[in-house]
Amino acid sequence: NAGVTQTPKFRVLKTGQSMTLLCAQDMNHEYMYWYRQDPGMGLRLIHYSVGEGTTAKGEVPDGYNVSRLKKQNFLLGLESAAPSQTSVYFCASSGQYGYTFGSGTRLTVV
Amino acid sequence: SQQGEEDPQALSIQEGENATMNCSYKTSINNLQWYRQNSGRGLVHLILIRSNEREKHSGRLRVTLDTSKKSSSLLITASRAADTASYFCATDSTGANSKLTFGKGITLSVRP
């Protein structure tokens, strides 16, 4: 089924650990995005990409890095996790007919 | 800062009633979108209205857009218990790159 797939779905990290969240889309979309969702805050844009090999900062980029080496994949990295990064992370891609969101990754940093 | 601001923050209605949710935004937009999110789940796209459109319908959903007031409303008619969810408006602003900016959301509870 066409769509956006996020892995993993759940993860618990200790403060200072690193991890990478993977987002994959099979719709040949140029644009991809990483958002975080915190209670009462809605979704906030972390980083986005307008095509393979490009990345740009969103509203809350600090503490995160991203890479778009292949058009279908958009990776979100946390180099040194902090409790403030406990959140639900959503990936999305967009094309001619709109946006498609993944089902989210619930990350807890202890 | 968040572009869209929804109103009210929470809404509780009886099944069968209509639910009206409002969204205001700050900058010029290409389009405005409404999403639904059930508890603990991902976002589901409901409807998109472009800046040159004033009203759009999809099933029991009716969306209006007033660009002069920078506001939109989402009407759900004949609500059902299954409509219980959080609803978000998101704006796709004018500019070089398309990216959505979300409001904080409205929690809708539909009582059976």
Side-chain angles (χ1 to χ4, degrees):
Chain A
N1 293 333
V4 175
T5 303
Q6 292 183 231
T7 53
K9 296 191 185 305
F10 302 94
R11 185 73 186 267
V12 178
L13 283 180
K14 292 183 179 179
T15 298
Q17 287 185 319
S18 63
M19 79 162 294
T20 300
L21 281 68
L22 171 64
C23 177
Q25 54 97 1
D26 58 4
M27 296 169 285
N28 202 36
H29 285 169
E30 291 291 340
Y31 285 55
M32 296 187 74
Y33 314 82
W34 275 107
Y35 289 88
R36 62 177 287 174
Q37 184 177 28
D38 302 297
M41 293 297 294
L43 276 76
R44 292 182 292 169
L45 183 64
I46 304 171
H47 285 282
Y48 65 102
S49 168
V50 301
E52 181 178 318
T54 74
T55 63
K57 293 180 180 179
E59 183 185 352
V60 289
D62 293 343
Y64 305 94
N65 57 75
V66 287
S67 64
R68 185 96 181 268
L69 298 179
K70 294 182 178 180
K71 186 177 184 179
Q72 64 267 34
N73 296 335
F74 195 30
L75 278 63
L76 178 71
L78 286 73
E79 290 187 348
S80 180
S84 61
Q85 294 177 304
T86 293
S87 188
V88 180
Y89 292 84
F90 287 99
C91 176
S93 68
S94 70
Q96 181 181 1
Y97 299 106
Y99 287 72
T100 302
F101 281 81
S103 57
T105 296
R106 187 172 296 273
L107 175 66
T108 301
V109 182
V110 298
Chain B
S1 61
Q2 304 202 232
Q3 162 82 307
E5 293 288 340
E6 294 98 340
D7 170 61
Q9 291 185 332
L11 181 62
S12 180
I13 59 174
Q14 199 74 32
E15 201 166 29
E17 294 179 338
N18 295 339
T20 299
M21 291 168 272
N22 303 301
C23 171
S24 60
Y25 58 92
K26 299 173 184 175
T27 63
S28 296
I29 62 171
N30 285 323
N31 63 71
L32 185 144
Q33 305 177 32
W34 285 91
Y35 288 82
R36 184 185 75 231
Q37 185 180 37
N38 291 88
S39 180
R41 306 295 293 272
L43 283 88
V44 174
H45 179 264
L46 294 176
I47 196 165
L48 179 152
I49 186 164
R50 302 188 190 284
S51 60
N52 61 353
E53 298 175 315
R54 293 296 167 260
E55 187 172 313
K56 205 163 181 180
H57 297 256
S58 177
R60 294 185 295 114
L61 304 180
R62 172 178 169 255
V63 171
T64 62
L65 179 65
D66 186 335
T67 53
S68 66
K69 295 182 180 178
K70 291 187 168 60
S71 68
S72 172
S73 67
L74 172 67
L75 170 67
I76 303 175
T77 60
S79 64
R80 305 167 182 169
D83 293 328
T84 295
S86 293
Y87 292 81
F88 295 89
C89 73
T91 52
D92 193 350
S93 299
T94 56
N97 297 324
S98 171
K99 51 187 183 293
L100 287 181
T101 305
F102 285 80
K104 295 181 181 181
I106 298 170
T107 301
L108 173 65
S109 298
V110 181
R111 303 185 302 273

